[in-house]
Amino acid sequence: MPHSTDNNSAAQQQPDKKPEVVVHPVPSRLLDSQQCPTPHITSMDEYRRMWKESVEEPEKFFGNLARDILSWDKPFETVKHGSFDNGDVAWFLEGELNACYNAVDRHALKNPDKIAIIHEGDEPSNVRRITYGELYRDVCRMANVLKKLGVRRGDNVAIYMPMIPETLIATLACARIGAIHSIVFAGFSAESLLDRVADCGAHIVITSDEGRRGGRNIATKCIVDTALSRQEAHQVEHVIVYKRTGSEVPMMENRDLWWHEEMANARPICSYEKMSAEDPLFLLYTSGSTGAPKGIVHTTGGYLLGAAATVKYIFDVREDDIYACMADIGWVTGHSYILYGPLTLGATTVLFESTPTYPTPARFWELIDKHKVTQFYTAPTAIRALQRLGDKWVEQNDLSTLRVIGSVGEPINPEAWNWYNEKVGKGRCAVVDTYWQTETGSIIISPLPGCTPTKPGSATLPFFGIKPVLLDPSTGKVIEGPHQSGVLAISQAWPSMARSVYNNHSRFIETYLRPYPGYYFTGDGAMRDEDGYIWIQGRVDDVINVSGHRLSTAEIESALNTHESVAEAAVIGGHDDLTGQCIHAFVSVKPHIKATEGFDKELTLVVRKTIGPFAAPKRVYIVNAHPKTRSGKIMRRILRKIVNGEHDQLGDISTLADQTVVPSIIEAVHGIKQ
Ligand code: WTA
């Protein structure tokens, strides 16, 4: 088992270095029914009893929950099926339901005038409110458009769109007709979009003329055109283009269709497909240690239950709440916590098109004040960035409607946690540090607002159905005692876990279920303290987490390798106070090539163009050679230590084929001649 729990920089957080772990009790306001609706769970005894039942009698627990939260067209008989060993996990077999019906129809039929989506546009004055009734009609129209274009149950549809209501409409329309949506984050380059469209084999791509973010236009359609000009995407028959900015964009005859024209001719009624609980709902590509991004497959019943149940219990959402998740719809957080979770519960979801600092660093806080937001969810990088810009921005607004504020995507350092709690939550809100992954479908470790005492920096305790264990990376044995680090694994299946990697089930098994047989392997290291609280320490594999964006070193390396002058590239994650981790790239050039000034910038540009701007290395070092073992493997551990300033503690370097490369690398990084 090749995982070491100290090989990644996030592990530097070292929460087990006591002394001052402060325990925060549940704010009394949350338990005062005069001030707040009583939380769903109000005591640790109740949580423990429910958690115990959820892991010991999952059939009973999740059977009841699935009947309670979701509407089924055909009841299920088997709640839980299969095993990690066989790789055939399934939930709610025989059951039939439709995710769009659950997220839209049932609320539209009961309460058509209720606001489903508040769209806070890039310009603060640009706000759209969409009722469940309107959403229902538009989703039906789009579903009819897709059907007319030949999309059938089980087909894939790619969506490459900015943060606008039409993105949710397109996504729900796919779910309605049983098409599998594959949303590609609109920050990805043409190249990355192409890889994903080619892998999923979509015949239809839905996009917009442009995007708008932070006052700037983004050439969305142009990126789609570049991607589709390549042979690998030849199967795409149609591109549906929503007019977001109205800028002139080329439309390819017979292929490109305007959204507004198609919608105008479509009927606002469309029956929904009764899907099997195990039919795929969507694919979402994510980076792993090796190879091309994987199309993670989520299915209808279990996924939807996980998304809705976590919004109910972890954010304590009520029907009249205004729930605001600041993630992008292109990542899993957007899928579960902008779209499926809140809408399945019939709440109002806020869709935010802009950035935390546009036009001023008060943007988030103005948004909360303006829309009377009750739950707010963002990432530690945003919290740290806003904290740095000073308290005055947060102090100008009324944030008193907030009850739960959440953090996701990367470890949150206690300093940022405390600022979030004190300045944003005013000490009156539950702070939920939520740990999960694309593959887990929904949050798996988190406090619950009405009962869990919190410790800044710890995601605390498992959600219902989750049985976490720490494993010794060298023996694979379970670590029992407190204050020891291990790899984090989950010992039994839960409803919203990924079922497969698209078209590559063996890769799914190899990546998640084989490394530690009998367990789902998360790829993260963690420590458990004396209260059973989990402290996530960061990835133990070659995944780097920059501002909560998940990237693989292999992907960045192969982007660098496309430059004709590059002989070899090695990428590692270093610590960064703002973004959690940042990318350091070590590049050697081919013989007879001289790296001229500005070559590092040129290489950064290659990565931006190949993957997307968010993947740009912070530093590129041109080196003569890499530290390698005799068998030619690059020892990234050494690069990591040098970057982290630990070059006097490199440990045993006798296995290096050539030890003399080390001083030259130290010099390249720190400018110190050894
Ligand atoms: C990291 C995002 C610490 C972790 C939902 C995980 C976290 C990866 C937390 C998944 C957290 C996510 N504390 N680390 N609260 N939440 N992570 O697939 O390393 O984009 O494996 O899903 O983010 O990233 P992904």
Side-chain angles (χ1 to χ4, degrees), residues 273-296:
E273 287 286 313
K274 296 185 173 107
M275 306 304 289
S276 151
E278 280 298 320
D279 278 336
L281 175 62
F282 66 86
L283 307 183
L284 188 56
Y285 285 83
T286 193
S287 300
S289 286
T290 53
K294 303 181 278 268
I296 298 295

Side-chain angles (χ1 to χ4, degrees), residues 18 33 76 83 96 103 107 121 131 240 248 257 270 272 280 334 363 400 448 453 476 521 532 547 613 642 667:
K18 293 214 163 185
S33 59
F76 50 84
S83 67
E96 288 180 4
H107 315 302
T131 65
I240 303 173
E248 192 78 29
L257 304 162
C270 172
Y272 64 87
R363 187 66 192 270
S400 62
L448 299 182
F521 170 52
S547 305
I642 293 175
E667 194 186 337

Side-chain angles (χ1 to χ4, degrees), residues 333 409-411 433-438 524 536 539 545 550:
T333 309
E410 35 171 337
D433 173 4
T434 62
Y435 167 80
W436 62 297
Q437 314 176 298
T438 305
D524 284 298
I536 306 293
R539 303 287 306 198
N545 190 328
R550 184 169 157 180

Side-chain angles (χ1 to χ4, degrees), residues 56 66 162 202 260 264 405 412 561 586:
E56 288 178 1
H260 58 273
I405 53 177
I412 181 164
N561 280 323
F586 294 82

Side-chain angles (χ1 to χ4, degrees), residues 284 325 327-329 331-339 377 408-409 436:
L284 188 56
C325 166
D328 194 285
I329 192 72
W331 306 116
V332 75
T333 309
H335 282 61
S336 302
Y337 298 107
I338 294 174
L339 178 55
Y377 197 23
V408 61
W436 62 297

Side-chain angles (χ1 to χ4, degrees), residues 11 17 46 70-71 77 99 107 117 171 231 306 314 323 339 348 381 406 446 452 473 481 500 594 619 639:
K17 287 263 157 57
E46 197 182 349
L70 303 179
S71 301
E77 283 158 34
H107 315 302
I117 302 169
T171 308
Q231 178 55 25
I314 296 173
Y323 174 91
L339 178 55
T348 298
T381 295
S446 170
T452 318
S500 194
K594 212 165 154 34
R619 298 287 304 273
L639 298 175

Side-chain angles (χ1 to χ4, degrees), residues 18-68:
K18 293 214 163 185
E20 6 55 35
V21 172
V22 181
V23 181
H24 295 256
V26 173
S28 58
R29 162 184 171 248
L30 292 182
L31 301 172
D32 175 355
S33 59
Q34 305 284 310
Q35 297 193 54
C36 290
T38 307
H40 287 105
I41 297 172
T42 50
S43 77
M44 283 305 275
D45 282 348
E46 197 182 349
Y47 157 72
R48 282 197 199 95
R49 184 188 56 71
M50 286 175 73
W51 180 79
K52 192 162 181 287
E53 183 185 287
S54 73
V55 293
E56 288 178 1
E57 298 174 86
E59 282 81 4
K60 183 171 159 209
F61 184 90
F62 286 109
N64 287 338
L65 198 61
R67 278 184 287 268
D68 177 34

